[in-house]
């Protein structure tokens, strides 16, 4: 029992959170109260991650590995959850009747993500991915929207694509199982590096397995769902879909990739082609978008590419920088969604013309949008720059010059549409538009976001140090 | 740490002077978000910039002119995981750039005193942010720090054009942004390659590293593209006239006086010491491009009817001059180039302020509509003449010193290059005198007949410069004559660093 508490505390907190919201769904509490409870639980989960940071061990017959690495990622997810709940103050996009359920499924989806960080066995991996996905399948159609069609369409699309991705993942797993005769990563790890060099089927199996994660990351070719789900889901939900599953997927991806042992040329080729296509396709598609959420969707496809670039360099710095990048990506996306959410009180999707004159309506929001978007573009001193910088160093350490070339060209292309966001926010309009009033908590969150984007970019040392230890522990395991 | 200190003279003052000079504007920028009153904002902006200027004075007076080491240096831990330190320091080359920046910034606030009416808080914010970043570029001794400040200028400058610019600001600002960003990305690549191959981010150590020729070429191309765009060198210059025309006066002053210097500074600080063989190998190309900028910019300036555009093209020509001086690789040429950089900062800054003054009065930058000012604004015209003469390198003004040094160096090294420069010099006289003649004496369709039409049925009178404007112009005029008649103090500051640069360059090349 003590063992369970020592290792499983963050997950237990989220399970309890889901239960509490299940019972709350019998009553009709106000959005503010629900939100407060949710933030408190997320805070406790974060605290629990911190408490269990130094513990390590396995649970449930060795399928569940708790170590510094998993706890770091769980902490990131819990922190992200706090930000996202805090951002969606008032839950304006979700109809009153389903608000407690909304938080319940949010907690369950997060629980799935936490499980992903620790899963070290194929079936556990599938279970955790599915737990987080199933909760999201229900979350996405929960939107207060004049036309019910778009959210439902988004929900259905997400389910269908998710099912296909899971199918491919299971198929890949069956190959790996056939080759390694085990579902435990620890066992697979012993034979996989050798197999990857001699058996093409092992590469195919591993890549197919990774497809489930690529789906969460929205990496080419598993990116098709992204734009429609962004547009269809409520802003709060979109912000969640855009950020946290990527952290979970990155955690699992780093664990799986470190299995490959770092010298599989084929795997690197496959991953880098996917990364390049993802960056290029995402950025080029984003250039022509008018809907801000759709733009962010394509941009996040591109960012998945950058993350993969960091991961596929497979050295310590590469994995650390990918982690740092995912964290920065989360902050910058929360910044953008913060603006989208507060700009449309009625929960409608916004486009460039709505951003016009934002500067006059709310200087803070214009500043946040600027920080978020130029951070995503990778301009110093924002966190996005430091992330890209670290990734580029890691890639060049491995001498993947051509990959670097593609990434750099993509940075230039992406700057154009991120700059459009800034320009729209600071362009003037003739007619008077009402000032946007932010309540104190939202205002504070805005300041927090700006500070963390800039300070995180200038002083990355603590974060790098933390993740370096975490990554070091799993690299040590795999070598 | 020990290795670093071989190149540095650590700061002996009891406060970290360079960090303070860089951080004061940034802190001021944060503060001005709290102030609402327009007048208070302007006064605060002025006080902050003046304070920065005052704080930077010890850099000149306490500068050790007998050493080429980096002075007032500070070293702090930053990202130990990458062995990355916060290292700042100045030598003879950068200290003048820092001083130029701190001197011009109060003028940028002053020249926008009445012109900027809306979003004043943001305007001051952006200006101060720019100042901090520009100083940061000049004091960094670390490639990452350099790059962060270099890129950090991008967004404020973009906003300066995009928010407070003229009618074509959208096009101009995005063009500026994309050109510069593409250049910067090349720079970033070069810097990462430097780190991977050289194993450190610390600039002085990289300078003495001795890379292979192929690597030097890669680094040279990466850096040269970035710096050539920023300088701007023909054929990368097309963003400059557009940006200048649309930017508000303060934006133009910053752009011309400091931002354009960054490219040349980059050549001096990064390219020459780190990739000497490649620089020598590519020198014919660079000299050719510089000469082309000189002549091409001159001809284009001759054809302009918009005063601002004319000065913008003249900047292209002048910066061609500077790059030419740098790529002669002789002490004289580089000294001339550095003096010319300072001169261009003062003179062109002054000319843009002059244009701003007349634009605020007549609402036009067309030469035809601003002609015949001689009898209406005598004081203004006097200053305009002084600065124009300085721009064409008239003896006795600052422009002469730099051009003369470069010309002498060019003839001493390659006579052909010297001959190529001559048309450029003649052209500069031609376009500046044409401008002067039109603006002062010509009687065209403009407002020769007083008073001029204001557009809404009323008439406004053209006033001569007021005391605020007089103050700005007077200050710059003092510098024009001071450097023109007595350049020795400036040369004393840069002597050691440049001799050292040339000696290291020559040994590296002959090695």
């Amino acid at each position: 029992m003590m063992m369970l508490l020592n290792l499983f505390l963050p997950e237990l907190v989220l399970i309890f959170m889901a239960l509490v919201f299940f019972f709350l769904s019998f009553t009709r509490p106000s959005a503010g109260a629900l939100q407060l409870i949710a933030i408190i639980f997320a805070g406790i989960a974060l605290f629990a991650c911190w408490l269990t940071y130094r513990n390590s061990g396995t649970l449930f017959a060795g399928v569940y590995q708790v170590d510094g690495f998993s706890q770091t990622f769980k902490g990131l997810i819990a922190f992200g959850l706090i930000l996202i709940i805090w951002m969606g103050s008032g839950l304006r996009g979700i109809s009153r009747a389903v608000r407690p359920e909304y938080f319940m499924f949010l907690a369950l989806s997060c629980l799935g993500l936490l499980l992903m960080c620790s899963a070290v066995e194929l079936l556990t991996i599938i279970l955790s991915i599915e737990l987080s996905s199933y909760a999201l399948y229900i979350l996405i159609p929960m939107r207060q929207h004049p036309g019910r069609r778009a959210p439902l369409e988004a929900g259905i699309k997400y389910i269908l694509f998710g099912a296909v991705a899971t199918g491919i993942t299971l198929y890949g797993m069956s190959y790996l199982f056939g080759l390694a005769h085990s579902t435990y990563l620890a066992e697979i790890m012993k034979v996989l590096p050798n197999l990857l060099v001699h058996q093409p089927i092992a590469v195919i199996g591993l890549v197919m397995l990774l497809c489930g994660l690529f789906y969460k990351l929205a990496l080419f070719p598993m990116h098709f769902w992204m734009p429609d789900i962004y547009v269809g889901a409520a802003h709060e939900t979109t912000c969640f879909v855009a950020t946290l599953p990527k952290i979970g997927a990155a955690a699992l991806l780093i664990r799986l990739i470190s299995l490959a042992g770092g010298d599989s040329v084929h795997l690197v080729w496959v991953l880098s082609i996917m990364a390049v296509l993802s960056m290029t396709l995402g950025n080029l598609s984003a250039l022509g978008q008018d809907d801000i959420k759709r733009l962010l969707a394509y941009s996040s496809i591109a960012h998945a590419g950058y993350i993969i670039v960091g991961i596929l360099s497979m050295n310590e710095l590469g994995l650390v920088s990918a982690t740092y990048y995912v964290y920065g990506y989360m902050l910058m996306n929360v910044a953008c969604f913060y603006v989208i959410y507060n700009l449309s009180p009625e929960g409608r999707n916004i486009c460039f013309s709505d951003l016009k004159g934002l500067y006059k309506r709310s200087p803070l929001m214009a500043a946040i949008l600027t920080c978020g978007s130029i951070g995503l573009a990778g301009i110093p001193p924002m966190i996005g720059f430091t992330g890209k910088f670290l990734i580029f160093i890691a890639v060049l350490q491995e001498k993947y010059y051509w990959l670097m070339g593609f990434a750099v060209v993509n940075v230039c292309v992406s700057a154009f549409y991120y700059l459009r966001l800034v320009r729209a926010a600071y362009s003037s309009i003739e007619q008077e538009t009402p000032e946007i009033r932010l309540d104190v908590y939202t205002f504070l969150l805005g300041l927090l976001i700006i500070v963390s984007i800039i300070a995180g970019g200038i002083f990355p040392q603590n974060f790098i140090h933390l993740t370096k230890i975490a990554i070091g522990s799993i690299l040590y395991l795999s070598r | 740490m020990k290795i670093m200190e071989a190149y540095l003279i650590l700061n002996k003052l009891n406060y970290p002077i360079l960090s303070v000079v860089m951080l004061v504007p940034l802190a001021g920028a944060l503060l001005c978000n709290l102030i609402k009153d327009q007048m208070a904002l302007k006064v605060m902006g002025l006080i902050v910039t003046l304070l920065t200027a005052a704080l930077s004075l010890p850099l000149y007076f306490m500068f050790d002119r007998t050493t080429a080491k980096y002075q007032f240096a500070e070293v702090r831990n930053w990202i130990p995981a990458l062995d990355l330190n916060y290292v700042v320091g100045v030598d003879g080359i950068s200290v003048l750039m820092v001083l130029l920046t701190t001197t011009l910034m109060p003028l940028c606030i002053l020249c926008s005193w009445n012109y900027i009416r809306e979003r004043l808080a943001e305007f001051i914010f952006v200006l101060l942010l720019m100042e901090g970043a520009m100083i940061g570029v000049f004091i960094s001794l670390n490639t990452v720090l350099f790059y962060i400040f270099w890129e950090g200028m991008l967004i404020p400058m973009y906003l300066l054009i995009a928010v407070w610019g003229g009618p074509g600001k959208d096009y101009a600002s995005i063009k500026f942004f994309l050109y510069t960003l593409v250049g910067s990305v090349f720079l970033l690549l070069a810097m990462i390659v430097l780190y991977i191959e050289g194993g450190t981010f610390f600039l002085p150590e990289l300078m003495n590293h001795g890379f292979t020729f192929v690597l030097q070429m890669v680094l040279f191309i990466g850096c040269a593209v970035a710096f050539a765009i920023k300088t701007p060198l023909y054929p990368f210059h097309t963003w400059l006239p557009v940006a200048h025309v649309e930017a508000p006066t303060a934006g133009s002053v910053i752009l011309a006086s400091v931002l354009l210097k960054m490219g040349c500074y980059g050549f001096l600080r990064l390219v020459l010491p780190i990739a000497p063989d490649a620089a020598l190998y590519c020198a014919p190309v660079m000299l050719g491009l510089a000469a082309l900028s000189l002549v091409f910019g001159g001809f284009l300036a001759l054809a302009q009817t918009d005063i601002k555009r004319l000065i913008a093209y003249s900047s292209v020509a002048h910066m061609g001059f500077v790059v030419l001086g740098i790529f002669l690789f002789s002490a004289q040429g580089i000294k001339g180039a550095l003096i010319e950089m300072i001169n261009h900062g003062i003179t062109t800054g002054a000319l843009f302020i002059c244009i701003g003054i007349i634009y605020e009065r007549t609402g036009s930058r067309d030469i035809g509509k601003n002609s015949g000012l001689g009898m209406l604004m005598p004081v203004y015209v006097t200053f305009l003449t002084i600065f124009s003469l300085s721009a064409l390198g008239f003896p006795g003004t600052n422009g002469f010193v730099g051009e003369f040094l470069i010309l002498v160096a060019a003839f001493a090294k390659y006579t052909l290059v010297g001959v190529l420069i001559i048309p450029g010099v003649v052209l500069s006289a031609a376009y500046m005198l044409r401008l002067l003649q039109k603006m002062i004496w010509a009687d065209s369709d403009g407002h020769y007949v007083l008073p001029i039409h204001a557009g809404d049925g009323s008439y406004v009178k053209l006033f001569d410069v007021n005391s605020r404007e007089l103050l700005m112009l007077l200050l710059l005029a003092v510098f024009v004559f001071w450097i023109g008649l007595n350049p020795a103090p400036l040369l004393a500051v840069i002597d050691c660093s440049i001799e050292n640069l040339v000696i290291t360059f020559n040994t590296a090349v002959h090695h």
Side-chain angles (χ1 to χ4, degrees):
Chain A
M1 185 61 201
M2 208 48 217
M3 177 89 165
L4 197 64
L5 271 186
N6 270 341
L7 300 177
F8 209 55
L9 193 58
E11 290 85 341
L12 286 177
V13 172
L14 282 185
I15 293 172
F16 190 61
M17 173 176 171
L19 276 177
V20 166
F21 280 106
F22 173 67
F23 285 111
L24 279 176
S25 68
F26 299 136
T27 62
R28 286 281 166 263
S30 71
L34 282 173
Q35 212 157 11
L36 187 66
I37 298 169
I39 287 187
I40 289 172
F41 269 109
I44 296 174
L46 180 60
F47 183 64
C49 293
W50 181 74
L51 279 183
T52 53
Y53 177 67
R54 301 206 177 279
N55 304 344
S56 61
T58 53
L59 284 174
F60 316 125
V63 301
Y64 200 76
Q65 168 96 35
V66 175
D67 47 23
F69 175 77
S70 69
Q71 298 316 93
T72 310
F73 272 92
K74 285 173 193 172
L76 283 183
I77 293 173
F79 177 60
L81 186 64
I82 297 176
L83 285 184
I84 289 165
I85 298 172
W86 192 353
M87 184 213 78
S89 65
L91 278 184
R92 294 193 288 264
I94 310 296
S95 65
R96 226 182 128 68
V98 292
R99 279 174 185 167
E101 285 90 338
Y102 179 82
F103 281 119
M104 183 180 93
F105 287 115
L106 208 59
L108 284 177
S109 184
C110 244
L111 176 66
L113 296 177
L114 293 200
L115 296 178
M116 267 163 90
C117 300
S118 279
V120 288
E121 193 255 2
L122 296 182
L123 291 180
T124 321
I125 290 174
I126 276 291
L127 276 179
S128 58
I129 295 180
E130 288 305 286
L131 180 59
S132 80
S133 297
Y134 269 86
L136 276 180
Y137 296 154
I138 305 166
L139 279 176
I140 285 169
M142 282 188 183
R143 181 182 190 184
Q144 225 166 15
H145 197 265
R148 290 282 293 155
R149 207 172 144 266
L152 285 179
E153 185 191 323
I156 294 288
K157 270 193 180 150
Y158 198 55
I159 294 173
L160 288 179
F161 280 116
V164 171
T166 312
I168 296 175
T169 307
L170 282 171
Y171 196 47
M173 283 181 175
S174 70
Y175 276 146
L176 283 191
F177 177 67
L179 288 166
H181 309 294
S182 171
T183 57
Y184 284 88
L185 293 187
E187 297 295 315
I188 298 175
M189 179 190 301
K190 286 178 191 153
V191 289
L192 194 63
N194 196 22
L195 282 174
L196 280 175
V197 179
H198 300 295
Q199 294 263 15
I201 196 78
V203 179
I204 296 174
L206 187 60
V207 172
M208 284 170 89
L209 187 162
L210 294 180
C211 272
L213 299 175
F214 294 160
Y215 168 72
K216 289 256 160 219
L217 266 180
L219 187 81
F220 178 90
M222 308 299 287
H223 66 279
F224 290 104
W225 56 276
M226 199 79 173
D228 287 336
I229 272 76
Y230 266 55
V231 172
H235 300 325
E236 304 90 323
T237 323
T238 320
C239 186
F240 181 85
V241 176
T243 52
L244 295 194
K246 302 211 166 179
I247 299 181
L252 196 43
L253 202 56
I254 289 173
R255 225 184 249 283
L256 287 170
I257 292 284
S258 62
L259 288 187
D263 41 50
S264 165
V265 185
H266 306 293
L267 187 65
V268 170
W269 268 100
V270 174
L271 285 180
S272 36
I273 288 169
M274 282 178 161
V276 166
L277 286 174
S278 195
M279 288 188 286
T280 314
L281 189 122
N283 280 328
L284 291 182
S285 313
L287 281 178
Q289 302 304 326
D290 188 45
D291 188 312
I292 307 293
K293 271 163 86 178
R294 202 168 261 277
L295 183 146
L296 284 176
Y298 283 111
S299 102
S300 78
I301 295 171
H303 283 283
Y306 297 122
I307 295 168
I308 294 294
V309 169
I311 292 177
L312 68 81
S313 60
M314 291 192 202
N315 50 24
E316 189 190 31
L317 184 65
L319 301 183
V320 168
S321 57
T323 313
Y324 180 73
Y325 199 84
V326 183
Y327 165 68
Y329 167 83
M330 176 192 82
L331 283 179
M332 295 179 293
N333 259 282
V334 170
C336 293
F337 279 101
Y338 175 96
V339 173
I340 294 176
Y341 181 77
N342 287 308
L343 197 55
S344 67
E346 67 279 22
R348 146 187 88 76
N349 289 348
I350 61 165
C351 45
F352 272 101
S353 54
D354 297 307
L355 280 180
K356 287 225 165 93
L358 178 63
Y359 151 76
K360 272 192 182 149
R361 303 176 65 192
S362 167
L364 179 76
M365 272 162 68
I368 293 174
L369 186 67
T370 309
C371 277
S373 55
I374 71 172
L376 286 168
I379 287 168
M382 308 299 162
I383 197 165
F385 161 73
T386 318
K388 284 200 177 84
F389 178 66
L390 293 174
I391 287 180
F392 288 170
I393 290 181
V395 171
L396 276 195
Q397 273 176 351
E398 299 297 314
K399 308 231 181 301
Y400 301 141
Y401 293 113
W402 60 276
L403 185 60
M404 172 85 181
F406 276 110
V408 161
V409 171
N410 266 295
V411 169
C412 292
V413 173
S414 71
F416 186 77
Y417 61 83
Y418 289 124
L419 200 65
R420 271 179 76 201
L421 288 173
V422 179
R423 190 165 55 157
Y426 280 93
S427 63
S428 46
I429 39 167
E430 276 75 37
Q431 79 264 31
E432 279 298 307
T433 36
E435 196 176 319
I436 300 170
R437 296 216 165 273
L438 300 171
D439 60 61
V440 180
Y441 304 107
T442 318
F443 190 83
L444 282 180
L445 176 67
L447 288 184
L448 176 73
I449 291 173
I450 292 185
V451 169
S452 43
I453 288 178
I454 295 179
I458 300 179
F459 306 107
Q461 175 56 26
N462 288 335
F463 191 90
I464 292 178
H465 184 69
L466 197 74
T467 38
K468 213 166 188 172
I469 297 170
I471 301 280
S473 69
I474 62 157
L475 278 181
Y476 172 74
L477 278 176
S478 67
R479 293 275 153 82
Chain B
M1 200 67 166
K2 275 278 172 287
I3 308 166
M4 281 189 182
E5 279 167 14
Y7 303 99
L8 307 173
I9 299 176
L10 290 178
N11 182 26
K12 292 189 204 70
L13 303 172
N14 50 10
Y15 63 103
I17 178 165
L18 289 176
S19 300
V20 167
V21 168
M22 177 195 72
L23 288 174
V24 164
L26 295 181
L30 287 182
L31 269 182
C32 72
N33 285 324
L34 304 175
I35 301 179
K36 290 273 177 277
D37 182 56
Q38 300 257 319
M39 195 61 199
L41 268 171
K42 285 191 264 193
V43 171
M44 199 203 79
L46 192 62
I47 288 176
V48 171
T49 47
L50 284 176
L51 182 68
T52 317
L55 284 170
S56 69
L57 282 181
L59 290 179
Y60 180 77
F61 290 110
M62 301 178 70
F63 188 81
D64 184 354
R65 287 156 174 78
T66 57
T67 173
K69 286 186 178 181
Y70 300 90
Q71 311 183 19
F72 307 104
E74 294 162 40
V75 182
R76 282 170 223 279
N77 273 339
W78 185 15
I79 309 179
L82 292 175
D83 196 18
L84 180 57
N85 293 302
Y86 168 86
V87 200
V88 292
V90 286
D91 67 348
I93 302 172
S94 45
V95 74
L96 286 187
M97 292 292 133
V98 173
L99 289 168
L100 178 73
T101 313
T102 55
T103 317
L104 281 166
M105 284 314 285
L107 302 184
C108 288
I109 305 267
L110 274 177
C111 75
S112 329
W113 205 259
N114 292 331
Y115 181 64
I116 303 293
R117 289 181 192 285
E118 59 171 34
R119 307 180 184 186
L120 193 69
E122 279 68 21
F123 186 75
I124 306 279
F125 176 77
V126 165
L127 277 191
L128 293 178
L129 220 55
M130 282 292 294
E131 179 171 19
M134 290 188 299
I135 295 172
V137 169
F138 292 129
I139 63 174
S140 357
L141 288 181
N142 168 318
T143 49
V144 179
L145 208 56
F146 180 89
Y147 185 79
I148 287 182
F149 286 122
W150 175 277
E151 280 277 89
M153 296 179 310
L154 198 52
I155 291 289
M157 193 63 213
Y158 166 79
L159 287 177
L160 211 52
I161 303 175
V163 177
W164 295 275
K169 58 188 179 184
D170 278 1
Y171 174 72
S173 56
I174 204 102
K175 194 164 180 177
F176 162 79
F177 186 88
L178 289 181
Y179 265 68
T180 325
L181 185 80
V182 169
S184 311
V185 167
F186 276 97
L187 189 61
L188 179 66
L189 278 183
M191 289 187 169
I192 295 177
V193 172
L194 265 178
Y195 172 65
I196 305 274
E197 300 294 333
T200 175
F201 292 109
F202 183 52
L203 263 176
E205 213 180 317
L206 290 170
M207 289 179 187
N208 298 325
H209 196 277
F211 295 102
T212 61
F213 181 72
V214 179
L215 198 63
Q216 283 193 20
M217 280 308 284
V218 173
L219 294 171
F220 180 84
I221 292 169
C223 294
V225 170
F227 298 146
I229 290 177
K230 201 79 164 188
T231 303
L233 210 56
Y234 178 87
F236 302 106
H237 68 282
T238 51
W239 62 270
L240 182 76
V242 199
H244 262 319
V245 168
E246 300 303 336
T249 305
S252 289
V253 173
I254 293 181
L255 196 58
S257 302
V258 187
L259 245 57
L260 298 193
K261 307 298 157 334
M262 304 253 166
C264 303
Y265 176 76
F267 279 121
L268 285 176
R269 171 94 329 145
L270 287 165
V271 175
L272 256 52
I274 292 175
D277 295 320
L280 191 65
Y281 182 77
C282 298
V285 180
M286 297 305 289
L287 286 175
L289 287 181
L292 258 178
S293 307
L294 190 57
V295 177
F296 204 73
F299 271 118
L300 281 171
L302 204 51
Q304 302 307 318
T305 53
D306 185 314
I307 312 174
K308 232 175 173 179
R309 209 172 252 276
L310 190 152
I311 304 296
Y313 279 114
S314 87
S315 288
V316 175
H318 278 124
M319 296 324 279
F321 227 125
V322 175
V323 173
L324 208 134
I326 293 173
F327 278 87
L328 289 172
F329 307 125
S330 65
Q332 213 165 21
I334 295 178
K335 272 180 211 166
L338 199 61
I339 296 286
E340 179 77 3
M341 277 155 76
I342 305 285
N343 290 340
H344 180 260
I346 294 168
T347 307
T348 312
L351 283 172
F352 276 118
I353 291 177
C354 285
I355 300 168
I357 291 174
I358 196 69
Y359 183 69
E360 278 174 40
R361 283 168 173 69
T362 63
S364 165
R365 285 186 307 258
D366 200 77
I367 298 182
K369 292 194 175 124
N370 289 313
S371 53
L373 296 174
M375 52 189 277
L376 308 175
M377 303 170 70
V379 183
Y380 172 79
V381 160
T382 313
F383 281 108
L384 187 68
T385 314
I386 291 173
F387 297 126
S388 302
L389 290 181
S390 146
L392 64 85
F394 195 75
T397 61
N398 58 350
F400 176 71
V401 183
E403 293 196 8
F404 182 73
L405 280 171
I406 296 175
L407 267 174
V408 171
F411 274 109
K413 204 138 187 187
Y414 314 105
T415 318
L416 178 67
V417 176
V419 173
L420 277 177
I421 305 178
I422 300 293
V425 180
V426 176
L427 274 171
S428 76
Y431 59 74
M432 285 321 296
L433 289 178
R434 168 176 164 267
L435 177 76
L436 273 186
Q437 189 266 334
K438 287 261 166 78
M439 280 186 73
I440 302 179
W441 293 288
D443 50 330
S444 62
D445 54 342
H447 38 262
Y448 176 63
V449 194
L450 261 183
I452 60 159
H453 201 269
D456 55 350
S458 64
Y459 289 89
V460 289
K461 197 172 175 301
L462 274 183
F463 292 101
D464 210 334
V465 287
N466 59 28
S467 49
R468 172 178 59 85
E469 291 157 347
L470 187 67
L471 184 72
M472 295 191 284
L473 296 176
L474 212 53
L475 181 74
L476 290 168
V478 167
F479 279 111
V480 164
F481 288 115
W482 180 50
I483 301 176
L485 298 173
N486 183 21
L490 278 193
L491 287 168
V493 172
I494 61 178
D495 257 350
C496 260
S497 299
I498 288 184
E499 296 291 349
N500 178 50
L501 176 72
V502 173
I503 290 168
T504 349
F505 181 84
N506 285 333
T507 40
V509 170
H510 291 306
H511 189 59

